[in-house]
Amino acid sequence: MLLIPCPWCGPRPENEFRHGGEAHVVRPVDPRCVSDAEWADFLYNRTNPKGIHAERWRHIHGCGRFFNCIRDTVTDRIVTTSK
Amino acid sequence: MVGSTHFSAWSLLRRAFGGAWPEQWRAPEPRDAYDVVIIGAGGHGLATAYYLASQHGIRNIAVLDKGWLGGGNTGRNTTIIRSNYLCDESAAIYEHALKLWEGLSQALNYNVMYSPRGVMMLAHNHHDVRVFRRHVHANRLLGVDNEWLTPEQAKAFCPPLDIGRSVRYPVLGAALQRRGGVARHDAVAWGYARAASALGVDIVQNCEVTGIDRGPDGAVTGVRTTRGSIRCRKVGVVAAGHTSVLMAMAGVRMPLESFPLQALVSEPVKPVMPCVVMSNTIHAYISQSDKGELVIGAGTDVYTSYSQAGGPHIASHTLEAICELFPTFRRLRMLRNWGGIVDCTPDRSPIIGVTPVPGLFVNCGWGTGGFKATPGSGHVFAATIARGEPHPIAAPFSLDRFRTGRLIDEAAAAAVSH
């Protein structure tokens, strides 16, 4: 179980959180103007890196807020979290 | 079979009286060029090579693996085989696989120990009952066996099951596929490896692919590996959890996320579990191996990872469920626990077919339940690589479905929550 440092509440066990998937996935500003391929890329394609991963977590059983996290997906070590 | 012993009762008996067992597949050095390179020597990759060689006359094939063959998810899964999925497309491919399982030991001349002992999926609440009955009806329309059992019938089929009403999640019924069961996972990899090697396929282990080369027209021209460069016109990526990493080498983004999935086994005991039991709601699945160990599957971690481990709380959660369903197992000790990296798609269905890169094919996204499909997956993927266009059974599972929106949602049938 990961010990995740919530930027608001401090270190808490993983089961207080929900994983929010890859960070910085930007929804197209005007979905009517993008192609099906671009829309699919936004909806479904993910970097899924082996190594450093920028992801989001949500502290659902704490402050309820989303935050960003940098984690190594090989060692599961959390490098840093930020608001 | 070319170049290897034919197994029979007589040949096994004769071997029992002495003499070393011969190696069952060659260990060649990689050559400079092949017609087809398969990346990943798991069950699906080896099956692909075997069917390319045996049914499509393409024998100049290399199967590359960064580790040893069958050392990834093929050797780590809980070996459950069934075909009772909901959608027509899924039933087609899993049923195709199940029919191949039924004759696989004979086809490969290698005992894969396929045992159709029945797979029973438990319903614990009103919604489970509705969903499973819907599956039973959908399967029956497609000619796939699946039947509804009352709690008493479920108990009769699997005596150690507790159907008492006082437990937190009482058993309200079950869907049973009698043709479902288990097989010996290592034997599947070894059987395909042996048969493919005998047909001339080079299986190159400890050979990690580090790059995919492409020509000026964008088409695949070869792969770079830790054991040198290999030229080829066609590459099939069958790398499960590492598919995103490999496809990124060719500049293709994939709708995949990799998660650790755990399994564990108990100390061996006398035969006690006559079938496979799965419960989606309280999340447990269990069967008994021929060695006597109870084989238990847990869920995935909630976050993406390549760690091949998994959180202990995930496994404990599953054991709590097992102990509630089977109170007699409470005092069993667990012997081993391990993880594998599974690649999950958004619709929980696999991706089998062509990619935007000419000459590059992919077979991935089997998520938490790829073992059952091994023969069917290899069979249709081989046809797809040989012809350069999707096999009819593979066609709905295109990478392009995420653009067209024709998803095949099997989240309810996939059994493992993720």
Side-chain angles (χ1 to χ4, degrees), chain B residues 12 30 72 110 146 162 168 179 184 204 236 276 281 296 304 318-319 327 361 371:
Chain B
L12 291 178
Y110 201 90
N146 197 6
D162 183 1
R168 174 67 184 83
R179 289 159 65 232
R184 172 98 168 94
V204 186
V276 181
T281 297
I296 295 168
T304 61
T318 291
L319 292 176
F361 301 83
F371 178 75

PDB file of all heavy atoms in Angstrom, chain B residues 12 30 72 110 146 162 168 179 184 204 236 276 281 296 304 318-319 327 361 371:
ATOM      1  N   LEU B  12       6.659 -42.432 -23.319  1.00  0.00           N
ATOM      2  CA  LEU B  12       6.857 -41.999 -21.927  1.00  0.00           C
ATOM      3  C   LEU B  12       7.367 -43.162 -21.075  1.00  0.00           C
ATOM      4  O   LEU B  12       8.269 -43.013 -20.267  1.00  0.00           O
ATOM      5  CB  LEU B  12       5.553 -41.456 -21.335  1.00  0.00           C
ATOM      6  CG  LEU B  12       5.040 -40.139 -21.905  1.00  0.00           C
ATOM      7  CD1 LEU B  12       3.719 -39.767 -21.255  1.00  0.00           C
ATOM      8  CD2 LEU B  12       6.038 -39.008 -21.713  1.00  0.00           C
ATOM      9  N   PRO B  30      19.863 -15.379 -32.748  1.00  0.00           N
ATOM     10  CA  PRO B  30      19.007 -14.681 -33.708  1.00  0.00           C
ATOM     11  C   PRO B  30      19.744 -14.465 -35.041  1.00  0.00           C
ATOM     12  O   PRO B  30      20.930 -14.151 -35.050  1.00  0.00           O
ATOM     13  CB  PRO B  30      18.703 -13.355 -33.010  1.00  0.00           C
ATOM     14  CG  PRO B  30      19.739 -13.200 -31.957  1.00  0.00           C
ATOM     15  CD  PRO B  30      20.161 -14.572 -31.560  1.00  0.00           C
ATOM     16  N   GLY B  72       6.066 -14.429 -18.270  1.00  0.00           N
ATOM     17  CA  GLY B  72       5.243 -13.273 -17.926  1.00  0.00           C
ATOM     18  C   GLY B  72       3.881 -13.729 -17.440  1.00  0.00           C
ATOM     19  O   GLY B  72       3.779 -14.646 -16.609  1.00  0.00           O
ATOM     20  N   TYR B 110       1.080 -32.567 -26.965  1.00  0.00           N
ATOM     21  CA  TYR B 110       1.656 -32.139 -25.685  1.00  0.00           C
ATOM     22  C   TYR B 110       0.488 -31.938 -24.738  1.00  0.00           C
ATOM     23  O   TYR B 110      -0.465 -31.240 -25.072  1.00  0.00           O
ATOM     24  CB  TYR B 110       2.415 -30.816 -25.885  1.00  0.00           C
ATOM     25  CG  TYR B 110       3.435 -30.541 -24.818  1.00  0.00           C
ATOM     26  CD1 TYR B 110       4.745 -30.992 -24.963  1.00  0.00           C
ATOM     27  CD2 TYR B 110       3.099 -29.825 -23.688  1.00  0.00           C
ATOM     28  CE1 TYR B 110       5.693 -30.737 -23.982  1.00  0.00           C
ATOM     29  CE2 TYR B 110       4.050 -29.567 -22.706  1.00  0.00           C
ATOM     30  CZ  TYR B 110       5.342 -30.019 -22.859  1.00  0.00           C
ATOM     31  OH  TYR B 110       6.281 -29.769 -21.887  1.00  0.00           O
ATOM     32  N   ASN B 146     -24.169 -22.030 -21.040  1.00  0.00           N
ATOM     33  CA  ASN B 146     -24.140 -21.254 -19.809  1.00  0.00           C
ATOM     34  C   ASN B 146     -25.513 -21.459 -19.190  1.00  0.00           C
ATOM     35  O   ASN B 146     -26.520 -21.331 -19.880  1.00  0.00           O
ATOM     36  CB  ASN B 146     -23.915 -19.771 -20.114  1.00  0.00           C
ATOM     37  CG  ASN B 146     -23.479 -18.980 -18.893  1.00  0.00           C
ATOM     38  OD1 ASN B 146     -23.227 -19.543 -17.839  1.00  0.00           O
ATOM     39  ND2 ASN B 146     -23.394 -17.670 -19.033  1.00  0.00           N
ATOM     40  N   ASP B 162     -20.480 -22.043   0.905  1.00  0.00           N
ATOM     41  CA  ASP B 162     -21.463 -21.714   1.940  1.00  0.00           C
ATOM     42  C   ASP B 162     -22.611 -20.927   1.308  1.00  0.00           C
ATOM     43  O   ASP B 162     -22.394 -19.840   0.777  1.00  0.00           O
ATOM     44  CB  ASP B 162     -20.775 -20.875   3.031  1.00  0.00           C
ATOM     45  CG  ASP B 162     -21.724 -20.550   4.183  1.00  0.00           C
ATOM     46  OD1 ASP B 162     -22.893 -21.000   4.135  1.00  0.00           O
ATOM     47  OD2 ASP B 162     -21.295 -19.860   5.122  1.00  0.00           O
ATOM     48  N   ARG B 168     -22.608 -11.848   4.869  1.00  0.00           N
ATOM     49  CA  ARG B 168     -22.759 -10.472   4.395  1.00  0.00           C
ATOM     50  C   ARG B 168     -23.251 -10.425   2.945  1.00  0.00           C
ATOM     51  O   ARG B 168     -24.074  -9.605   2.587  1.00  0.00           O
ATOM     52  CB  ARG B 168     -21.407  -9.754   4.521  1.00  0.00           C
ATOM     53  CG  ARG B 168     -21.357  -8.351   3.942  1.00  0.00           C
ATOM     54  CD  ARG B 168     -22.237  -7.404   4.738  1.00  0.00           C
ATOM     55  NE  ARG B 168     -22.262  -6.077   4.139  1.00  0.00           N
ATOM     56  CZ  ARG B 168     -23.047  -5.723   3.131  1.00  0.00           C
ATOM     57  NH1 ARG B 168     -23.858  -6.603   2.595  1.00  0.00           N
ATOM     58  NH2 ARG B 168     -23.014  -4.495   2.657  1.00  0.00           N
ATOM     59  N   ARG B 179     -18.447 -26.333 -19.785  1.00  0.00           N
ATOM     60  CA  ARG B 179     -17.268 -26.581 -20.621  1.00  0.00           C
ATOM     61  C   ARG B 179     -16.080 -25.741 -20.177  1.00  0.00           C
ATOM     62  O   ARG B 179     -14.965 -25.940 -20.666  1.00  0.00           O
ATOM     63  CB  ARG B 179     -17.567 -26.296 -22.087  1.00  0.00           C
ATOM     64  CG  ARG B 179     -18.503 -27.332 -22.719  1.00  0.00           C
ATOM     65  CD  ARG B 179     -19.176 -26.746 -23.956  1.00  0.00           C
ATOM     66  NE  ARG B 179     -18.236 -26.453 -25.018  1.00  0.00           N
ATOM     67  CZ  ARG B 179     -18.166 -25.269 -25.637  1.00  0.00           C
ATOM     68  NH1 ARG B 179     -18.938 -24.276 -25.281  1.00  0.00           N
ATOM     69  NH2 ARG B 179     -17.309 -25.096 -26.607  1.00  0.00           N
ATOM     70  N   ARG B 184      -3.077 -26.295 -17.800  1.00  0.00           N
ATOM     71  CA  ARG B 184      -1.772 -26.079 -17.165  1.00  0.00           C
ATOM     72  C   ARG B 184      -1.064 -24.984 -17.957  1.00  0.00           C
ATOM     73  O   ARG B 184      -0.677 -25.203 -19.116  1.00  0.00           O
ATOM     74  CB  ARG B 184      -0.985 -27.383 -17.225  1.00  0.00           C
ATOM     75  CG  ARG B 184       0.447 -27.248 -16.781  1.00  0.00           C
ATOM     76  CD  ARG B 184       0.620 -27.670 -15.334  1.00  0.00           C
ATOM     77  NE  ARG B 184       2.027 -27.806 -15.028  1.00  0.00           N
ATOM     78  CZ  ARG B 184       2.771 -26.825 -14.490  1.00  0.00           C
ATOM     79  NH1 ARG B 184       2.226 -25.675 -14.209  1.00  0.00           N
ATOM     80  NH2 ARG B 184       4.036 -27.023 -14.245  1.00  0.00           N
ATOM     81  N   VAL B 204      13.869 -16.912 -29.428  1.00  0.00           N
ATOM     82  CA  VAL B 204      15.092 -16.292 -28.900  1.00  0.00           C
ATOM     83  C   VAL B 204      14.760 -15.636 -27.559  1.00  0.00           C
ATOM     84  O   VAL B 204      14.053 -14.630 -27.508  1.00  0.00           O
ATOM     85  CB  VAL B 204      15.662 -15.258 -29.880  1.00  0.00           C
ATOM     86  CG1 VAL B 204      17.008 -14.746 -29.371  1.00  0.00           C
ATOM     87  CG2 VAL B 204      15.798 -15.847 -31.274  1.00  0.00           C
ATOM     88  N   GLY B 236       4.911  -8.463 -35.078  1.00  0.00           N
ATOM     89  CA  GLY B 236       3.701  -8.633 -34.270  1.00  0.00           C
ATOM     90  C   GLY B 236       4.049  -8.375 -32.809  1.00  0.00           C
ATOM     91  O   GLY B 236       4.880  -9.072 -32.244  1.00  0.00           O
ATOM     92  N   VAL B 276     -14.221 -24.357 -10.776  1.00  0.00           N
ATOM     93  CA  VAL B 276     -13.734 -22.988 -10.596  1.00  0.00           C
ATOM     94  C   VAL B 276     -14.910 -22.155 -10.098  1.00  0.00           C
ATOM     95  O   VAL B 276     -16.009 -22.254 -10.639  1.00  0.00           O
ATOM     96  CB  VAL B 276     -13.230 -22.389 -11.932  1.00  0.00           C
ATOM     97  CG1 VAL B 276     -12.699 -20.982 -11.715  1.00  0.00           C
ATOM     98  CG2 VAL B 276     -12.172 -23.281 -12.552  1.00  0.00           C
ATOM     99  N   THR B 281     -18.649  -9.667  -7.380  1.00  0.00           N
ATOM    100  CA  THR B 281     -19.115  -8.660  -6.434  1.00  0.00           C
ATOM    101  C   THR B 281     -18.226  -8.551  -5.212  1.00  0.00           C
ATOM    102  O   THR B 281     -17.845  -7.458  -4.819  1.00  0.00           O
ATOM    103  CB  THR B 281     -20.561  -8.979  -6.018  1.00  0.00           C
ATOM    104  OG1 THR B 281     -21.368  -8.896  -7.177  1.00  0.00           O
ATOM    105  CG2 THR B 281     -21.065  -7.996  -4.981  1.00  0.00           C
ATOM    106  N   ILE B 296      -5.765 -18.828  -6.206  1.00  0.00           N
ATOM    107  CA  ILE B 296      -6.685 -17.731  -5.916  1.00  0.00           C
ATOM    108  C   ILE B 296      -6.256 -16.492  -6.683  1.00  0.00           C
ATOM    109  O   ILE B 296      -5.073 -16.136  -6.693  1.00  0.00           O
ATOM    110  CB  ILE B 296      -6.689 -17.451  -4.394  1.00  0.00           C
ATOM    111  CG1 ILE B 296      -7.257 -18.663  -3.658  1.00  0.00           C
ATOM    112  CG2 ILE B 296      -7.489 -16.196  -4.072  1.00  0.00           C
ATOM    113  CD1 ILE B 296      -7.045 -18.629  -2.171  1.00  0.00           C
ATOM    114  N   THR B 304      -1.588   2.617 -12.133  1.00  0.00           N
ATOM    115  CA  THR B 304      -0.776   1.973 -13.161  1.00  0.00           C
ATOM    116  C   THR B 304       0.607   1.690 -12.600  1.00  0.00           C
ATOM    117  O   THR B 304       1.158   2.486 -11.846  1.00  0.00           O
ATOM    118  CB  THR B 304      -0.636   2.883 -14.394  1.00  0.00           C
ATOM    119  OG1 THR B 304       0.009   4.092 -13.986  1.00  0.00           O
ATOM    120  CG2 THR B 304      -1.987   3.206 -14.990  1.00  0.00           C
ATOM    121  N   THR B 318      -9.283 -10.135  -1.072  1.00  0.00           N
ATOM    122  CA  THR B 318      -9.753 -11.338  -1.754  1.00  0.00           C
ATOM    123  C   THR B 318      -9.858 -12.512  -0.787  1.00  0.00           C
ATOM    124  O   THR B 318     -10.825 -13.272  -0.817  1.00  0.00           O
ATOM    125  CB  THR B 318      -8.802 -11.677  -2.912  1.00  0.00           C
ATOM    126  OG1 THR B 318      -8.960 -10.677  -3.903  1.00  0.00           O
ATOM    127  CG2 THR B 318      -9.096 -13.035  -3.503  1.00  0.00           C
ATOM    128  N   LEU B 319      -8.857 -12.633   0.093  1.00  0.00           N
ATOM    129  CA  LEU B 319      -8.884 -13.756   1.040  1.00  0.00           C
ATOM    130  C   LEU B 319     -10.062 -13.641   2.010  1.00  0.00           C
ATOM    131  O   LEU B 319     -10.654 -14.648   2.396  1.00  0.00           O
ATOM    132  CB  LEU B 319      -7.559 -13.833   1.806  1.00  0.00           C
ATOM    133  CG  LEU B 319      -6.374 -14.240   0.936  1.00  0.00           C
ATOM    134  CD1 LEU B 319      -5.085 -14.203   1.745  1.00  0.00           C
ATOM    135  CD2 LEU B 319      -6.577 -15.639   0.357  1.00  0.00           C
ATOM    136  N   PRO B 327     -15.926 -21.271   4.349  1.00  0.00           N
ATOM    137  CA  PRO B 327     -15.418 -21.192   5.733  1.00  0.00           C
ATOM    138  C   PRO B 327     -14.415 -22.289   6.057  1.00  0.00           C
ATOM    139  O   PRO B 327     -13.535 -22.086   6.904  1.00  0.00           O
ATOM    140  CB  PRO B 327     -16.682 -21.361   6.579  1.00  0.00           C
ATOM    141  CG  PRO B 327     -17.822 -21.049   5.668  1.00  0.00           C
ATOM    142  CD  PRO B 327     -17.380 -21.384   4.285  1.00  0.00           C
ATOM    143  N   PHE B 361       1.837  -5.074 -36.439  1.00  0.00           N
ATOM    144  CA  PHE B 361       0.575  -5.653 -35.973  1.00  0.00           C
ATOM    145  C   PHE B 361       0.610  -5.728 -34.455  1.00  0.00           C
ATOM    146  O   PHE B 361       1.678  -5.853 -33.863  1.00  0.00           O
ATOM    147  CB  PHE B 361       0.386  -7.054 -36.557  1.00  0.00           C
ATOM    148  CG  PHE B 361       0.373  -7.082 -38.066  1.00  0.00           C
ATOM    149  CD1 PHE B 361       1.558  -7.109 -38.781  1.00  0.00           C
ATOM    150  CD2 PHE B 361      -0.825  -7.047 -38.753  1.00  0.00           C
ATOM    151  CE1 PHE B 361       1.551  -7.118 -40.168  1.00  0.00           C
ATOM    152  CE2 PHE B 361      -0.841  -7.057 -40.134  1.00  0.00           C
ATOM    153  CZ  PHE B 361       0.348  -7.094 -40.853  1.00  0.00           C
ATOM    154  N   PHE B 371      -5.593 -15.511 -20.682  1.00  0.00           N
ATOM    155  CA  PHE B 371      -5.156 -16.905 -20.808  1.00  0.00           C
ATOM    156  C   PHE B 371      -6.178 -17.755 -21.555  1.00  0.00           C
ATOM    157  O   PHE B 371      -5.841 -18.544 -22.425  1.00  0.00           O
ATOM    158  CB  PHE B 371      -4.887 -17.497 -19.423  1.00  0.00           C
ATOM    159  CG  PHE B 371      -4.475 -18.941 -19.462  1.00  0.00           C
ATOM    160  CD1 PHE B 371      -3.208 -19.300 -19.874  1.00  0.00           C
ATOM    161  CD2 PHE B 371      -5.374 -19.938 -19.112  1.00  0.00           C
ATOM    162  CE1 PHE B 371      -2.829 -20.630 -19.938  1.00  0.00           C
ATOM    163  CE2 PHE B 371      -5.006 -21.274 -19.167  1.00  0.00           C
ATOM    164  CZ  PHE B 371      -3.730 -21.617 -19.583  1.00  0.00           C
TER     165      PHE B 371
END
